Amino acid sequence: MATPAKPVPPFLEKTRNSAEMYEEASETMPGGVTANIKHFEPYPLFMESAGGAKLYDVDGNEYIDYNLCYGALMLGHGNSRVIRAVKEQLDQMGTPVFGTPHALESAVAKKLVQLYPGIETTRFTNSGLEATMLAIRLATGWTGRRKIAKFEGHYHGGYDQVLISVTPEEREQDVPPRSSVDSLGVPDYYRDNTVVLPFNDWQQTEAILEKHRHELGAVILEPVQAGFIPPDIEFLKKLRECTLLYGIPLIFDEVKTGFRLGLSGAQGRYGVIPDLTALGKVLGGGFPVGAVGGRQEIMEICSPNRRSDILSFGGQDTGKNGGSDVLFHSGTYNGHPTVLSAGLATINALEETGVYDRVEQAACRLRQEMEQILCDFGLCGRTVGVGTIFNLVLSDTPIREVQDLLRSDLHLRKKLDTALLERGIYVKPGNRFSLSVAHTEDVLAETLERFEGGVRQLIRK
Ligand SMILES: Cc1ncc(COP(=O)(O)O)c(C=O)c1O
């Protein structure tokens, strides 16, 4: 007698086309993805179209999107103002890119200078990664010191200098964090020249900074860890005072918080002003972007007017280091007109009265009701977040830094996320929830119904 076929789990049953496309993609791309963040088990879902708060996959399933391209889409998918701006840029300028200066660069730069208290002048890049990389180079170039300090669990992009202690091992609270390399291929040099600090723990942070004060060229942090663990305001203020005292440039990596915690990011919200700021995500309105801004005297060291830099041709004033007296910053696509037109349209839309209040209130309501549902089903969990972003953490202890997250029930969270995907809530497993202006009351009501179904399914299993 033939053995009865095993029932196919609902996720696999509903997403057969994604499974097929994943297999095909794996033949030509390692792991079937072009960014490791897009991968999850058993395979990532392939999307076909989107609109507002919704994503539609290649199997015809609809999802309410809480990933929003890792928080970038503060106006939701396909916002009409952004689409119009992009079309107009292409029509009116007649080309996607000039390869020369153009008016949109100054228009967006002016906005950043007006909105961000820590930005006196700015430069554009093509990603958040490039923005933090330039900020660190500016800080270390300015001070002439090569070591940097970063915080355990903080992500600043995928390059050697900052792929350090992003995913640390568990440690006891009174043991200081260690510098450890997060990727194959990162030279030990970076481990040895990075000082790792514990977020929201001033006592240890102060002691470590004191010890390394003469060798540090920069302190970089996500003012809100991973976009959802809020800082103690006193901690941020003390960090600012201490770095000023020691003459170490403080970099706020506002790639997640910029235009999320309000128009002026975390620095506007908390009233703590860094020397340099890195922006990305929302600023591009769905297109790849980054920006660095800061104190003029620091920013100015990348000006090609100072002396000749490595791209100068036939200049008389060769720098004393063979042309390296200027801090190098360049990029074929920096200040791309299409990207900046989308960015400007996004900023203009966000500047309208009440936008942030509405999205924050929606996030607040969603958080309260999700917590209630978890509690009704006897699950030990809470939401952690600030503003329009939060995460769901299955733990009964306060979450103040990455070590607290490591101690939460990550296994159960993964199962919950699969149940949510099956019910039409798109969250990248383990990742945070981001909201947009497209997450209206109706969308929230639908979300909560699906969420309750997902939690019920999890409990039944
Ligand atoms: C805080 C932070 N910094 C830097 C980056 C890197 O940005 P990008 O992915 O645009 O290179 C990210 C991306 O998630 C981020 O969250």
Side-chain angles (χ1 to χ4, degrees), residues 74 260 269 354-369 386-390 435-436 439-441 444 448:
M74 178 72 182
R260 272 271 166 200
R269 190 154 183 139
V355 173
Y356 283 99
D357 284 348
R358 277 201 302 281
V359 187
E360 290 203 8
Q361 276 162 18
C364 200
R365 182 185 150 207
L366 193 62
R367 289 177 59 178
Q368 276 170 2
E369 302 213 11
V386 46
T388 63
I389 298 181
F390 67 90
L435 275 77
S436 75
H439 287 70
T440 56
E441 280 293 310
L444 295 195
L448 288 165

PDB file of all heavy atoms in Angstrom, residues 74 260 269 354-369 386-390 435-436 439-441 444 448:
ATOM      1  N   MET A  74       8.449  55.574   3.769  1.00  0.00           N
ATOM      2  CA  MET A  74       7.611  56.277   4.758  1.00  0.00           C
ATOM      3  C   MET A  74       6.284  56.736   4.143  1.00  0.00           C
ATOM      4  O   MET A  74       5.308  56.970   4.847  1.00  0.00           O
ATOM      5  CB  MET A  74       8.422  57.468   5.281  1.00  0.00           C
ATOM      6  CG  MET A  74       7.727  58.330   6.270  1.00  0.00           C
ATOM      7  SD  MET A  74       7.536  57.541   7.881  1.00  0.00           S
ATOM      8  CE  MET A  74       6.639  58.833   8.733  1.00  0.00           C
ATOM      9  N   ARG A 260      12.290  59.666   9.982  1.00  0.00           N
ATOM     10  CA  ARG A 260      11.386  58.703  10.616  1.00  0.00           C
ATOM     11  C   ARG A 260      10.960  59.233  11.980  1.00  0.00           C
ATOM     12  O   ARG A 260       9.795  59.217  12.327  1.00  0.00           O
ATOM     13  CB  ARG A 260      12.099  57.354  10.806  1.00  0.00           C
ATOM     14  CG  ARG A 260      11.976  56.455   9.602  1.00  0.00           C
ATOM     15  CD  ARG A 260      10.726  55.604   9.723  1.00  0.00           C
ATOM     16  NE  ARG A 260      10.359  54.954   8.491  1.00  0.00           N
ATOM     17  CZ  ARG A 260       9.139  54.481   8.237  1.00  0.00           C
ATOM     18  NH1 ARG A 260       8.178  54.601   9.122  1.00  0.00           N
ATOM     19  NH2 ARG A 260       8.859  53.910   7.108  1.00  0.00           N
ATOM     20  N   ARG A 269      14.618  65.174  17.694  1.00  0.00           N
ATOM     21  CA  ARG A 269      13.711  64.653  18.725  1.00  0.00           C
ATOM     22  C   ARG A 269      14.336  64.719  20.115  1.00  0.00           C
ATOM     23  O   ARG A 269      13.687  65.067  21.088  1.00  0.00           O
ATOM     24  CB  ARG A 269      13.377  63.204  18.404  1.00  0.00           C
ATOM     25  CG  ARG A 269      12.264  62.633  19.273  1.00  0.00           C
ATOM     26  CD  ARG A 269      11.617  61.539  18.510  1.00  0.00           C
ATOM     27  NE  ARG A 269      10.499  60.953  19.174  1.00  0.00           N
ATOM     28  CZ  ARG A 269       9.385  60.625  18.530  1.00  0.00           C
ATOM     29  NH1 ARG A 269       9.249  60.879  17.268  1.00  0.00           N
ATOM     30  NH2 ARG A 269       8.394  60.035  19.174  1.00  0.00           N
ATOM     31  N   GLY A 354       0.915  67.481  10.455  1.00  0.00           N
ATOM     32  CA  GLY A 354       0.199  66.331  11.023  1.00  0.00           C
ATOM     33  C   GLY A 354       0.603  64.970  10.505  1.00  0.00           C
ATOM     34  O   GLY A 354       0.134  63.961  11.031  1.00  0.00           O
ATOM     35  N   VAL A 355       1.488  64.913   9.515  1.00  0.00           N
ATOM     36  CA  VAL A 355       1.832  63.607   8.933  1.00  0.00           C
ATOM     37  C   VAL A 355       2.444  62.682  10.000  1.00  0.00           C
ATOM     38  O   VAL A 355       1.996  61.543  10.199  1.00  0.00           O
ATOM     39  CB  VAL A 355       2.811  63.767   7.748  1.00  0.00           C
ATOM     40  CG1 VAL A 355       3.303  62.407   7.271  1.00  0.00           C
ATOM     41  CG2 VAL A 355       2.155  64.514   6.614  1.00  0.00           C
ATOM     42  N   TYR A 356       3.471  63.182  10.673  1.00  0.00           N
ATOM     43  CA  TYR A 356       4.148  62.325  11.655  1.00  0.00           C
ATOM     44  C   TYR A 356       3.203  61.933  12.796  1.00  0.00           C
ATOM     45  O   TYR A 356       3.223  60.799  13.265  1.00  0.00           O
ATOM     46  CB  TYR A 356       5.410  63.008  12.198  1.00  0.00           C
ATOM     47  CG  TYR A 356       6.536  62.941  11.194  1.00  0.00           C
ATOM     48  CD1 TYR A 356       6.819  64.024  10.372  1.00  0.00           C
ATOM     49  CD2 TYR A 356       7.282  61.783  11.042  1.00  0.00           C
ATOM     50  CE1 TYR A 356       7.837  63.959   9.432  1.00  0.00           C
ATOM     51  CE2 TYR A 356       8.296  61.700  10.106  1.00  0.00           C
ATOM     52  CZ  TYR A 356       8.574  62.785   9.309  1.00  0.00           C
ATOM     53  OH  TYR A 356       9.571  62.695   8.372  1.00  0.00           O
ATOM     54  N   ASP A 357       2.374  62.898  13.255  1.00  0.00           N
ATOM     55  CA  ASP A 357       1.442  62.585  14.351  1.00  0.00           C
ATOM     56  C   ASP A 357       0.539  61.424  13.954  1.00  0.00           C
ATOM     57  O   ASP A 357       0.312  60.500  14.734  1.00  0.00           O
ATOM     58  CB  ASP A 357       0.560  63.803  14.674  1.00  0.00           C
ATOM     59  CG  ASP A 357       1.347  64.851  15.453  1.00  0.00           C
ATOM     60  OD1 ASP A 357       2.462  64.510  15.909  1.00  0.00           O
ATOM     61  OD2 ASP A 357       0.862  65.990  15.573  1.00  0.00           O
ATOM     62  N   ARG A 358       0.050  61.493  12.709  1.00  0.00           N
ATOM     63  CA  ARG A 358      -0.886  60.438  12.271  1.00  0.00           C
ATOM     64  C   ARG A 358      -0.207  59.068  12.241  1.00  0.00           C
ATOM     65  O   ARG A 358      -0.738  58.087  12.763  1.00  0.00           O
ATOM     66  CB  ARG A 358      -1.439  60.760  10.871  1.00  0.00           C
ATOM     67  CG  ARG A 358      -2.621  61.713  10.888  1.00  0.00           C
ATOM     68  CD  ARG A 358      -3.439  61.597   9.616  1.00  0.00           C
ATOM     69  NE  ARG A 358      -2.679  61.847   8.404  1.00  0.00           N
ATOM     70  CZ  ARG A 358      -2.350  63.053   7.945  1.00  0.00           C
ATOM     71  NH1 ARG A 358      -2.713  64.141   8.622  1.00  0.00           N
ATOM     72  NH2 ARG A 358      -1.659  63.196   6.834  1.00  0.00           N
ATOM     73  N   VAL A 359       0.986  59.010  11.655  1.00  0.00           N
ATOM     74  CA  VAL A 359       1.646  57.695  11.538  1.00  0.00           C
ATOM     75  C   VAL A 359       2.072  57.193  12.924  1.00  0.00           C
ATOM     76  O   VAL A 359       1.973  56.003  13.241  1.00  0.00           O
ATOM     77  CB  VAL A 359       2.843  57.734  10.553  1.00  0.00           C
ATOM     78  CG1 VAL A 359       3.395  56.331  10.314  1.00  0.00           C
ATOM     79  CG2 VAL A 359       2.438  58.340   9.216  1.00  0.00           C
ATOM     80  N   GLU A 360       2.519  58.106  13.764  1.00  0.00           N
ATOM     81  CA  GLU A 360       2.938  57.691  15.115  1.00  0.00           C
ATOM     82  C   GLU A 360       1.748  57.184  15.921  1.00  0.00           C
ATOM     83  O   GLU A 360       1.856  56.220  16.687  1.00  0.00           O
ATOM     84  CB  GLU A 360       3.638  58.843  15.843  1.00  0.00           C
ATOM     85  CG  GLU A 360       4.997  59.130  15.235  1.00  0.00           C
ATOM     86  CD  GLU A 360       5.966  59.827  16.177  1.00  0.00           C
ATOM     87  OE1 GLU A 360       5.651  59.973  17.372  1.00  0.00           O
ATOM     88  OE2 GLU A 360       7.050  60.209  15.705  1.00  0.00           O
ATOM     89  N   GLN A 361       0.587  57.869  15.753  1.00  0.00           N
ATOM     90  CA  GLN A 361      -0.601  57.396  16.477  1.00  0.00           C
ATOM     91  C   GLN A 361      -1.009  56.006  15.990  1.00  0.00           C
ATOM     92  O   GLN A 361      -1.409  55.150  16.777  1.00  0.00           O
ATOM     93  CB  GLN A 361      -1.762  58.368  16.282  1.00  0.00           C
ATOM     94  CG  GLN A 361      -1.703  59.532  17.277  1.00  0.00           C
ATOM     95  CD  GLN A 361      -2.550  60.714  16.848  1.00  0.00           C
ATOM     96  OE1 GLN A 361      -3.432  60.585  15.998  1.00  0.00           O
ATOM     97  NE2 GLN A 361      -2.281  61.870  17.431  1.00  0.00           N
ATOM     98  N   ALA A 362      -0.877  55.794  14.688  1.00  0.00           N
ATOM     99  CA  ALA A 362      -1.216  54.471  14.138  1.00  0.00           C
ATOM    100  C   ALA A 362      -0.278  53.417  14.734  1.00  0.00           C
ATOM    101  O   ALA A 362      -0.722  52.330  15.146  1.00  0.00           O
ATOM    102  CB  ALA A 362      -1.093  54.497  12.617  1.00  0.00           C
ATOM    103  N   ALA A 363       1.019  53.733  14.812  1.00  0.00           N
ATOM    104  CA  ALA A 363       1.992  52.770  15.365  1.00  0.00           C
ATOM    105  C   ALA A 363       1.661  52.473  16.826  1.00  0.00           C
ATOM    106  O   ALA A 363       1.720  51.322  17.280  1.00  0.00           O
ATOM    107  CB  ALA A 363       3.401  53.330  15.244  1.00  0.00           C
ATOM    108  N   CYS A 364       1.276  53.519  17.532  1.00  0.00           N
ATOM    109  CA  CYS A 364       0.968  53.386  18.954  1.00  0.00           C
ATOM    110  C   CYS A 364      -0.239  52.459  19.149  1.00  0.00           C
ATOM    111  O   CYS A 364      -0.215  51.536  19.968  1.00  0.00           O
ATOM    112  CB  CYS A 364       0.666  54.792  19.460  1.00  0.00           C
ATOM    113  SG  CYS A 364       0.802  54.951  21.177  1.00  0.00           S
ATOM    114  N   ARG A 365      -1.271  52.677  18.333  1.00  0.00           N
ATOM    115  CA  ARG A 365      -2.485  51.846  18.436  1.00  0.00           C
ATOM    116  C   ARG A 365      -2.163  50.381  18.105  1.00  0.00           C
ATOM    117  O   ARG A 365      -2.557  49.469  18.816  1.00  0.00           O
ATOM    118  CB  ARG A 365      -3.544  52.389  17.471  1.00  0.00           C
ATOM    119  CG  ARG A 365      -4.801  51.608  17.595  1.00  0.00           C
ATOM    120  CD  ARG A 365      -5.878  51.950  16.629  1.00  0.00           C
ATOM    121  NE  ARG A 365      -6.637  50.718  16.417  1.00  0.00           N
ATOM    122  CZ  ARG A 365      -7.311  50.426  15.336  1.00  0.00           C
ATOM    123  NH1 ARG A 365      -7.339  51.268  14.346  1.00  0.00           N
ATOM    124  NH2 ARG A 365      -7.969  49.292  15.241  1.00  0.00           N
ATOM    125  N   LEU A 366      -1.411  50.208  17.027  1.00  0.00           N
ATOM    126  CA  LEU A 366      -1.067  48.844  16.609  1.00  0.00           C
ATOM    127  C   LEU A 366      -0.287  48.123  17.709  1.00  0.00           C
ATOM    128  O   LEU A 366      -0.563  46.959  18.032  1.00  0.00           O
ATOM    129  CB  LEU A 366      -0.231  48.917  15.323  1.00  0.00           C
ATOM    130  CG  LEU A 366      -0.021  47.625  14.570  1.00  0.00           C
ATOM    131  CD1 LEU A 366      -1.344  47.042  14.093  1.00  0.00           C
ATOM    132  CD2 LEU A 366       0.887  47.865  13.357  1.00  0.00           C
ATOM    133  N   ARG A 367       0.652  48.831  18.291  1.00  0.00           N
ATOM    134  CA  ARG A 367       1.468  48.237  19.344  1.00  0.00           C
ATOM    135  C   ARG A 367       0.610  47.805  20.530  1.00  0.00           C
ATOM    136  O   ARG A 367       0.733  46.695  21.031  1.00  0.00           O
ATOM    137  CB  ARG A 367       2.532  49.230  19.823  1.00  0.00           C
ATOM    138  CG  ARG A 367       3.625  49.461  18.820  1.00  0.00           C
ATOM    139  CD  ARG A 367       4.612  50.492  19.310  1.00  0.00           C
ATOM    140  NE  ARG A 367       5.242  50.093  20.568  1.00  0.00           N
ATOM    141  CZ  ARG A 367       6.170  50.807  21.191  1.00  0.00           C
ATOM    142  NH1 ARG A 367       6.575  51.956  20.684  1.00  0.00           N
ATOM    143  NH2 ARG A 367       6.701  50.374  22.315  1.00  0.00           N
ATOM    144  N   GLN A 368      -0.276  48.717  20.959  1.00  0.00           N
ATOM    145  CA  GLN A 368      -1.118  48.405  22.131  1.00  0.00           C
ATOM    146  C   GLN A 368      -1.974  47.178  21.847  1.00  0.00           C
ATOM    147  O   GLN A 368      -2.076  46.265  22.671  1.00  0.00           O
ATOM    148  CB  GLN A 368      -2.034  49.584  22.430  1.00  0.00           C
ATOM    149  CG  GLN A 368      -1.370  50.642  23.267  1.00  0.00           C
ATOM    150  CD  GLN A 368      -2.211  51.910  23.351  1.00  0.00           C
ATOM    151  OE1 GLN A 368      -3.311  51.988  22.810  1.00  0.00           O
ATOM    152  NE2 GLN A 368      -1.684  52.902  24.027  1.00  0.00           N
ATOM    153  N   GLU A 369      -2.563  47.153  20.660  1.00  0.00           N
ATOM    154  CA  GLU A 369      -3.497  46.051  20.388  1.00  0.00           C
ATOM    155  C   GLU A 369      -2.765  44.734  20.145  1.00  0.00           C
ATOM    156  O   GLU A 369      -3.246  43.673  20.520  1.00  0.00           O
ATOM    157  CB  GLU A 369      -4.416  46.431  19.230  1.00  0.00           C
ATOM    158  CG  GLU A 369      -5.154  47.713  19.576  1.00  0.00           C
ATOM    159  CD  GLU A 369      -6.547  47.813  19.018  1.00  0.00           C
ATOM    160  OE1 GLU A 369      -7.065  46.805  18.527  1.00  0.00           O
ATOM    161  OE2 GLU A 369      -7.109  48.916  19.086  1.00  0.00           O
ATOM    162  N   VAL A 386       9.982  53.331  18.936  1.00  0.00           N
ATOM    163  CA  VAL A 386       9.830  54.769  19.105  1.00  0.00           C
ATOM    164  C   VAL A 386       9.349  55.331  17.768  1.00  0.00           C
ATOM    165  O   VAL A 386       9.828  54.913  16.705  1.00  0.00           O
ATOM    166  CB  VAL A 386      11.142  55.426  19.620  1.00  0.00           C
ATOM    167  CG1 VAL A 386      12.346  54.962  18.889  1.00  0.00           C
ATOM    168  CG2 VAL A 386      11.086  56.943  19.573  1.00  0.00           C
ATOM    169  N   GLY A 387       8.348  56.205  17.841  1.00  0.00           N
ATOM    170  CA  GLY A 387       7.829  56.833  16.625  1.00  0.00           C
ATOM    171  C   GLY A 387       7.098  55.848  15.734  1.00  0.00           C
ATOM    172  O   GLY A 387       6.202  55.135  16.173  1.00  0.00           O
ATOM    173  N   THR A 388       7.527  55.762  14.481  1.00  0.00           N
ATOM    174  CA  THR A 388       6.795  54.979  13.479  1.00  0.00           C
ATOM    175  C   THR A 388       7.358  53.564  13.290  1.00  0.00           C
ATOM    176  O   THR A 388       6.944  52.853  12.387  1.00  0.00           O
ATOM    177  CB  THR A 388       6.841  55.711  12.124  1.00  0.00           C
ATOM    178  OG1 THR A 388       8.209  55.792  11.704  1.00  0.00           O
ATOM    179  CG2 THR A 388       6.277  57.116  12.209  1.00  0.00           C
ATOM    180  N   ILE A 389       8.329  53.206  14.108  1.00  0.00           N
ATOM    181  CA  ILE A 389       8.970  51.876  13.987  1.00  0.00           C
ATOM    182  C   ILE A 389       8.940  51.161  15.338  1.00  0.00           C
ATOM    183  O   ILE A 389       9.162  51.792  16.380  1.00  0.00           O
ATOM    184  CB  ILE A 389      10.445  52.032  13.524  1.00  0.00           C
ATOM    185  CG1 ILE A 389      10.504  52.690  12.149  1.00  0.00           C
ATOM    186  CG2 ILE A 389      11.163  50.693  13.498  1.00  0.00           C
ATOM    187  CD1 ILE A 389      11.911  52.863  11.590  1.00  0.00           C
ATOM    188  N   PHE A 390       8.677  49.879  15.312  1.00  0.00           N
ATOM    189  CA  PHE A 390       8.772  49.094  16.553  1.00  0.00           C
ATOM    190  C   PHE A 390       9.145  47.662  16.209  1.00  0.00           C
ATOM    191  O   PHE A 390       9.140  47.270  15.043  1.00  0.00           O
ATOM    192  CB  PHE A 390       7.459  49.145  17.345  1.00  0.00           C
ATOM    193  CG  PHE A 390       6.306  48.457  16.673  1.00  0.00           C
ATOM    194  CD1 PHE A 390       6.036  47.113  16.883  1.00  0.00           C
ATOM    195  CD2 PHE A 390       5.466  49.161  15.805  1.00  0.00           C
ATOM    196  CE1 PHE A 390       4.969  46.474  16.253  1.00  0.00           C
ATOM    197  CE2 PHE A 390       4.400  48.542  15.176  1.00  0.00           C
ATOM    198  CZ  PHE A 390       4.149  47.191  15.393  1.00  0.00           C
ATOM    199  N   LEU A 435       5.889  51.595   9.824  1.00  0.00           N
ATOM    200  CA  LEU A 435       4.601  52.042   9.298  1.00  0.00           C
ATOM    201  C   LEU A 435       4.807  53.190   8.313  1.00  0.00           C
ATOM    202  O   LEU A 435       5.868  53.820   8.294  1.00  0.00           O
ATOM    203  CB  LEU A 435       3.663  52.494  10.426  1.00  0.00           C
ATOM    204  CG  LEU A 435       2.872  51.345  11.077  1.00  0.00           C
ATOM    205  CD1 LEU A 435       3.746  50.559  12.030  1.00  0.00           C
ATOM    206  CD2 LEU A 435       1.647  51.881  11.796  1.00  0.00           C
ATOM    207  N   SER A 436       3.753  53.455   7.533  1.00  0.00           N
ATOM    208  CA  SER A 436       3.831  54.545   6.557  1.00  0.00           C
ATOM    209  C   SER A 436       2.513  55.314   6.568  1.00  0.00           C
ATOM    210  O   SER A 436       1.552  54.892   7.222  1.00  0.00           O
ATOM    211  CB  SER A 436       4.060  53.973   5.155  1.00  0.00           C
ATOM    212  OG  SER A 436       2.850  53.406   4.669  1.00  0.00           O
ATOM    213  N   HIS A 439      -0.638  53.320   5.970  1.00  0.00           N
ATOM    214  CA  HIS A 439      -1.205  52.404   6.968  1.00  0.00           C
ATOM    215  C   HIS A 439      -2.366  53.097   7.690  1.00  0.00           C
ATOM    216  O   HIS A 439      -2.233  53.582   8.809  1.00  0.00           O
ATOM    217  CB  HIS A 439      -0.113  51.921   7.932  1.00  0.00           C
ATOM    218  CG  HIS A 439       0.830  50.943   7.293  1.00  0.00           C
ATOM    219  ND1 HIS A 439       1.727  51.321   6.313  1.00  0.00           N
ATOM    220  CD2 HIS A 439       0.981  49.609   7.445  1.00  0.00           C
ATOM    221  CE1 HIS A 439       2.406  50.252   5.916  1.00  0.00           C
ATOM    222  NE2 HIS A 439       1.971  49.202   6.584  1.00  0.00           N
ATOM    223  N   THR A 440      -3.482  53.111   7.009  1.00  0.00           N
ATOM    224  CA  THR A 440      -4.681  53.806   7.504  1.00  0.00           C
ATOM    225  C   THR A 440      -5.413  52.947   8.539  1.00  0.00           C
ATOM    226  O   THR A 440      -5.053  51.796   8.768  1.00  0.00           O
ATOM    227  CB  THR A 440      -5.626  54.046   6.321  1.00  0.00           C
ATOM    228  OG1 THR A 440      -5.884  52.759   5.727  1.00  0.00           O
ATOM    229  CG2 THR A 440      -5.016  54.956   5.271  1.00  0.00           C
ATOM    230  N   GLU A 441      -6.486  53.513   9.094  1.00  0.00           N
ATOM    231  CA  GLU A 441      -7.305  52.787  10.081  1.00  0.00           C
ATOM    232  C   GLU A 441      -7.763  51.423   9.549  1.00  0.00           C
ATOM    233  O   GLU A 441      -7.707  50.417  10.249  1.00  0.00           O
ATOM    234  CB  GLU A 441      -8.553  53.615  10.417  1.00  0.00           C
ATOM    235  CG  GLU A 441      -8.294  54.731  11.416  1.00  0.00           C
ATOM    236  CD  GLU A 441      -7.947  54.181  12.798  1.00  0.00           C
ATOM    237  OE1 GLU A 441      -8.677  53.318  13.303  1.00  0.00           O
ATOM    238  OE2 GLU A 441      -6.905  54.602  13.355  1.00  0.00           O
ATOM    239  N   LEU A 444      -4.988  48.971   9.504  1.00  0.00           N
ATOM    240  CA  LEU A 444      -4.658  48.510  10.861  1.00  0.00           C
ATOM    241  C   LEU A 444      -5.664  47.461  11.333  1.00  0.00           C
ATOM    242  O   LEU A 444      -5.300  46.438  11.925  1.00  0.00           O
ATOM    243  CB  LEU A 444      -4.664  49.672  11.863  1.00  0.00           C
ATOM    244  CG  LEU A 444      -3.627  50.777  11.705  1.00  0.00           C
ATOM    245  CD1 LEU A 444      -3.543  51.620  12.973  1.00  0.00           C
ATOM    246  CD2 LEU A 444      -2.258  50.225  11.369  1.00  0.00           C
ATOM    247  N   LEU A 448      -4.793  43.660  12.446  1.00  0.00           N
ATOM    248  CA  LEU A 448      -5.031  43.079  13.771  1.00  0.00           C
ATOM    249  C   LEU A 448      -5.815  41.765  13.664  1.00  0.00           C
ATOM    250  O   LEU A 448      -5.550  40.825  14.412  1.00  0.00           O
ATOM    251  CB  LEU A 448      -5.743  44.097  14.676  1.00  0.00           C
ATOM    252  CG  LEU A 448      -4.792  45.231  15.099  1.00  0.00           C
ATOM    253  CD1 LEU A 448      -5.552  46.421  15.668  1.00  0.00           C
ATOM    254  CD2 LEU A 448      -3.759  44.720  16.115  1.00  0.00           C
TER     255      LEU A 448
END
